[in-house]
Amino acid sequence: MSGKSAVNDRIVVTLDALTRRPPELPWGVRELSEDLGLSRSTVHRTLHALTERDLATQTVNATYVCGPRLRVLADRLHRSHPLLGQARPLAEELARACDATILLSLYDPVRTEGFVALSAIPDGPVRYRLDPGAVIPLHAGAAGRAMLTELGPDVLARLDLVAHTPDTVTEPAELERLLHQAREDGVTISIGQHVALAAGVAAPFHAAGLLGAISATRPRHETRHADLERFAPLVRETALEVGSLVAPPPRPAPEHGRATPTSPSPTEDGGSATVRIERLLSALTASQPLPLGGRALARVLQGNPATAARLLDTALATGLATTHEEHAVAGPLLLRWAAALGPLHSITPIVFPALRDLAQQTGETIGLAEYDPATRTARMTAVVPGSKPIHYDLPTGSDVPLAAGAAGKAILAFLPDDTLSDLPLVTYTDRTPLRRTTIRKDLAQVRDRGWAVGDGERIPDGYGIAVPYFARHTVAGSITATIPRHRADEIDVDAVRTQLSAAALSITQLLSV
């Protein structure tokens, strides 16, 4: 193994360790070095490099957790990969039909094990639960055995046939008989073989270069064998639907709102190893498959062909990537990371430190507005109070009008031109702009200079300065400094705007994939 390949491998196993631990149990350098079998100095260097790229975060106690950039990439995979985003409604529908916990599990050939990629759990006082990212055995339980039916006898021979319960089948000959029967039936039924108090039925599928299974599981004491047989055709049908899913096409960029390019300039070898890994992860979490080599791959990863080839070799060997239809796509390891980290329902947790720093630097109240393109509305999702004796107090969770006030106008200026035409214009104060021609001129100025001002337009005694941030070439929200109007003449607008712009650019870089 070359030195560069070994560095790539160390980065991948470190990221894997970070995703295996919940944030409330961060890794210390000594503990992580023992877990990985690497020297403390090597682990410390790797963590430092990952922290610089926001793939890891150092806590106040000098321990480490997953960084915000890794969570953004995981969220992107939840949105772009058919076995995460598109499969969820199918799993939820099956959960209602069977009144059972539905798991979508995937096979990891590098580690010869399965894991839960997503779950749908119906309401009820007693429910079977396995969290996304959890490892499942292949020889015990409906989901694992359903995947094992699609694998050859060499895989069964490599398994450690551990007895998880008194009912676990550990005799190879008996397992072979059960697998043969499951292949004929098209489903696998398991009662108490992985979890003693659970009973389930599962069917395998192939999709996006991956092998997986859909399973329906209920508490054993309230489930008869006849119930599982009744669920079987529903589970098979859902597995067929999941197997037919394909990645959605990339969304076209709107007329306004292209994000500032955030990738570092290419160098001869494509940058540091950590930068190259980040580019690889970004490429794999997007909708478009990767070329398997040559200059086309090198262009995507911004390096020379030899460096790009080594990086892809690492991805395929570790399971970050797999091949599908003569391309490289997200592999089981990357899917497991995304499953464990989950989707982002709000960016507040990952950008709050930047908001806090901004409030300390300016002394003013800082608000984060997030824009929802589905509803075409914005909401104030986070507020950090200012440190000055008299500062403005903003409520969180409030709606942000797009045509009045700095926070909304900073967003509206970078939305398609017809958005304003469809907006109702509401009077909030005697300064609220109500003429669309006037608002359009104001929005053009916002686009030209990159920031918005609101002087009593939404809040009578509030003066705001806001800068937009972007994600995937689309405006995603704004950061606003809100100041009492009687102090507006005292502040250095250019200084505040510069600080807001720097923070918005940092958030844009964090969110860009």
Side-chain angles (χ1 to χ4, degrees):
M1 179 183 297
S2 70
K4 291 184 178 179
S5 296
V7 172
N8 291 340
D9 288 342
R10 286 199 293 270
I11 294 172
V12 172
V13 297
T14 304
L15 289 172
D16 186 47
L18 291 172
T19 63
R20 281 192 277 115
R21 293 284 284 264
E24 61 270 18
L25 293 173
W27 286 103
V29 173
R30 176 184 296 180
E31 183 187 13
L32 184 54
S33 67
E34 292 174 353
D35 182 83
L36 299 180
L38 299 171
S39 70
R40 270 186 271 175
S41 60
T42 296
V43 170
H44 186 269
R45 284 196 307 272
T46 303
L47 288 169
H48 178 72
L50 292 173
T51 300
E52 285 187 332
R53 303 298 299 180
D54 285 326
L55 293 169
T57 296
Q58 185 179 29
T59 72
V60 293
N61 298 319
T63 54
Y64 292 84
V65 296
C66 276
R69 180 64 176 165
L70 198 56
R71 295 186 177 278
V72 167
L73 294 173
D75 178 70
R76 176 59 177 157
L77 200 57
H78 276 274
R79 298 172 187 272
S80 66
H81 200 282
L83 297 183
L84 294 178
Q86 295 179 67
R88 178 165 294 282
L90 298 176
E92 291 173 345
E93 181 181 353
L94 184 61
R96 290 189 293 269
C98 299
D99 190 28
T101 295
I102 307 303
L103 301 181
L104 187 154
S105 304
L106 296 174
Y107 171 57
D108 183 344
V110 175
R111 294 154 194 84
T112 321
E113 63 188 19
F115 65 91
V116 177
L118 69 82
S119 63
I121 305 175
D123 295 331
V126 180
R127 290 298 176 198
Y128 174 77
R129 181 186 183 94
L130 277 181
D131 290 329
V135 173
I136 59 173
L138 295 178
H139 70 286
R145 287 229 312 269
M147 290 186 284
L148 195 55
T149 63
E150 298 292 296
L151 300 170
D154 59 317
V155 175
L156 177 58
R158 297 202 307 268
L159 296 181
D160 184 9
L161 302 180
V162 175
H164 295 272
T165 75
D167 293 321
T168 303
V169 176
T170 58
E171 290 296 327
E174 178 61 11
L175 269 174
E176 284 281 16
R177 188 191 68 78
L178 292 172
L179 293 173
H180 177 74
Q181 183 64 51
R183 292 186 190 101
E184 289 189 345
D185 296 340
V187 294
T188 296
I189 289 178
S190 171
I191 300 176
Q193 294 188 32
H194 177 212
V195 177
L197 298 179
V201 56
F205 65 83
H206 293 267
L210 299 165
L211 166 63
I214 295 291
S215 60
T217 306
R218 289 166 46 94
R220 181 176 180 175
H221 68 275
E222 60 182 44
T223 305
R224 300 168 302 165
H225 197 280
D227 294 322
L228 300 177
E229 292 179 332
R230 179 166 50 87
F231 300 154
L234 300 177
V235 172
R236 277 199 305 266
E237 181 180 352
T238 301
L240 288 172
E241 291 183 84
V242 170
S244 67
L245 294 175
V246 296
R251 291 186 305 173
E255 181 180 349
H256 299 300
R258 289 193 174 275
T260 303
T262 57
S263 299
S265 299
T267 61
E268 183 179 352
D269 67 350
S272 71
T274 307
V275 170
R276 293 193 297 267
I277 290 288
E278 182 190 355
R279 288 188 190 133
L280 173 70
L281 296 177
S282 296
L284 289 171
T285 56
S287 300
Q288 295 299 308
L290 283 177
L292 287 177
R295 295 189 179 278
L297 177 66
R299 280 194 298 270
V300 174
L301 300 182
Q302 300 180 24
N304 61 50
T307 298
R310 280 195 300 269
L311 194 57
L312 184 57
D313 286 344
T314 294
L316 293 171
T318 59
L320 279 180
T322 190
T323 56
H324 180 54
E325 296 179 348
E326 299 183 351
H327 287 86
V329 295
L333 181 61
L334 192 53
L335 269 292
R336 185 164 64 81
W337 291 359
L341 295 175
L344 283 173
H345 301 293
S346 168
I347 67 166
T348 297
I350 64 173
V351 305
F352 191 83
L355 304 180
R356 184 184 56 221
D357 292 345
L358 196 55
Q360 292 173 350
Q361 293 166 10
T362 63
E364 307 297 350
T365 297
I366 303 299
L368 175 77
E370 294 187 58
Y371 177 67
D372 182 355
T375 60
R376 304 177 85 178
T377 60
R379 183 173 291 269
M380 192 69 68
T381 57
V383 175
V384 182
S387 59
K388 292 186 177 179
I390 298 179
H391 61 264
Y392 205 88
D393 189 20
L394 288 174
T396 58
S398 59
D399 291 334
V400 174
L402 295 178
K409 290 190 298 182
I411 298 170
L412 181 59
F414 294 91
L415 292 174
D417 287 335
D418 61 355
T419 306
L420 175 59
S421 303
D422 299 332
L423 285 178
L425 300 182
V426 178
T427 301
Y428 295 94
T429 74
D430 57 5
R431 291 172 174 261
T432 301
L434 297 175
R435 294 171 60 91
R436 296 185 197 273
T437 54
T438 302
I439 297 172
R440 289 189 193 280
K441 290 180 181 179
D442 192 5
L443 296 179
Q445 291 181 336
V446 172
R447 280 194 294 275
D448 288 342
R449 67 192 179 197
W451 53 286
V453 171
D455 187 0
E457 296 177 5
R458 183 168 71 96
I459 304 168
D461 55 350
Y463 179 88
I465 305 170
V467 176
Y469 61 87
F470 301 85
R472 297 184 296 281
H473 306 297
T474 304
V475 67
S478 64
I479 311 173
T480 307
T482 303
I483 303 140
R485 285 192 69 218
H486 71 270
R487 280 206 296 103
D489 294 337
E490 304 172 8
I491 66 167
D492 186 339
V493 173
D494 287 339
V496 173
R497 186 262 308 162
T498 299
Q499 291 167 313
L500 285 170
S501 297
L505 178 59
S506 176
I507 292 174
T508 295
Q509 291 173 330
L510 180 65
L511 299 180
S512 296
V513 179

